[in-house]
Amino acid sequence: EAGVVQSPRYKIIEKKQPVAFWCNPISGHNTLYWYRQNLGQGPELLIRYENEEAVDDSQLPKDRFSAERLKGVDSTLKIQPAELGDSAVYLCASSIEGDEQYFGPGTRLTVT
Amino acid sequence: GDSVTQMEGPVTLSEEAFLTINCTYTATGYPSLFWYVQYPGEGLQLLLKATKADDKGSNKGFEATYRKETTSFHLEKGSVQVSDSAVYFCALSGESGGSYIPTFGRGTSLIVHP
């Protein structure tokens, strides 16, 4: 069974530029999570989807971050415009009904 | 809100030493508790979990017991190996308004020397 797939693995952009991350969860997993992980910290939830519906996005900075999960499968997280403080690893995870989560390898974003 | 507190690392041990990584939590209700491990260059993966008080989760020689009275979920292993070197994250999944909100600790780095 394939795991959670994320792309790209690494991204370097200049501040004020847009960037997008893509996640393909494990087949059959209805819950999808996006996290941000700063260096030396634990993952911080940005948004959680139940199928196509965003059920918790209270931690998502909505002025510059957006996310979508079309058809309840793949998901995209976008930042526009990026700021220096957005440099972090962005993790995607999926689960069945909020049980144990399966994480992707993450996308390491560097904003210069 | 919910929170998880882990002991600061790095924890440095010799091979075959006993390991304890402390984890305490604050949550309303009865959350599920988890330990995740992140090996160098890899994503987080579930190590073990416990869903109710006094449950013991175990995997690969690691154990943790859900202690409601002390709100703790300490990770232990009797004899660590070099291959156990990784970052360990304690986490909880607490219910809020019908949804399960995951909260992670900061992680504890474990370094095992031969």
Side-chain angles (χ1 to χ4, degrees):
Chain A
E1 179 183 82
V4 176
V5 179
Q6 290 187 248
S7 69
R9 291 293 309 276
Y10 305 91
K11 188 73 176 179
I12 301 174
I13 60 172
E14 294 184 347
K15 63 181 180 182
K16 300 185 182 179
Q17 294 301 305
V19 64
F21 314 123
W22 175 80
C23 174
N24 178 241
I26 292 173
S27 177
H29 283 197
N30 64 315
T31 306
L32 185 146
Y33 311 77
W34 281 105
Y35 291 91
R36 177 169 56 193
Q37 185 178 18
N38 292 308
L39 189 64
Q41 303 289 320
E44 177 186 27
L45 182 69
L46 292 174
I47 189 168
R48 181 170 69 92
Y49 283 92
E50 295 286 348
N51 300 305
E52 299 170 339
E53 183 182 1
V55 295
D56 183 14
D57 63 356
S58 56
Q59 299 285 81
L60 191 72
K62 298 183 181 62
D63 56 336
R64 297 183 300 107
F65 285 65
S66 64
E68 60 182 9
R69 190 183 185 196
L70 299 177
K71 300 181 180 179
V73 181
D74 293 2
S75 178
T76 302
L77 178 68
K78 298 179 181 177
I79 308 175
Q80 182 170 9
E83 297 179 352
L84 294 175
D86 296 332
S87 295
V89 176
Y90 290 83
L91 299 169
C92 179
S94 68
S95 70
I96 299 175
E97 300 290 337
D99 197 12
E100 67 181 85
Q101 297 176 59
Y102 293 79
F103 284 82
T107 297
R108 183 177 297 278
L109 173 67
T110 302
V111 182
T112 63
Chain B
D2 295 351
S3 66
V4 174
T5 303
Q6 294 181 231
M7 63 187 290
E8 292 213 12
V11 174
T12 304
L13 296 173
S14 297
E15 205 165 25
E16 298 184 2
F18 184 86
L19 168 71
T20 299
I21 299 178
N22 290 337
C23 171
T24 57
Y25 67 90
T26 302
T28 55
Y30 303 95
S32 294
L33 302 175
F34 306 85
W35 276 101
Y36 286 84
V37 59
Q38 187 172 31
Y39 297 103
E42 299 183 15
L44 278 77
Q45 54 186 277
L46 180 69
L47 181 60
L48 55 84
K49 69 177 183 180
T51 57
K52 61 183 186 295
D54 299 325
D55 266 5
K56 177 185 285 188
S58 61
N59 186 26
K60 299 181 181 179
F62 290 89
E63 293 183 339
T65 301
Y66 190 143
R67 300 289 188 196
K68 188 172 185 299
E69 63 276 13
T70 55
T71 61
S72 65
F73 193 54
H74 304 322
L75 182 68
E76 297 182 336
K77 186 175 186 182
S79 176
V80 293
Q81 305 300 312
V82 172
S83 58
D84 293 327
S85 297
V87 181
Y88 292 81
F89 292 91
C90 185
L92 67 82
S93 181
E95 185 177 3
S96 176
S99 299
Y100 287 88
I101 309 301
T103 303
F104 285 78
R106 297 180 59 161
T108 302
S109 175
L110 171 65
I111 301 169
V112 181
H113 294 294

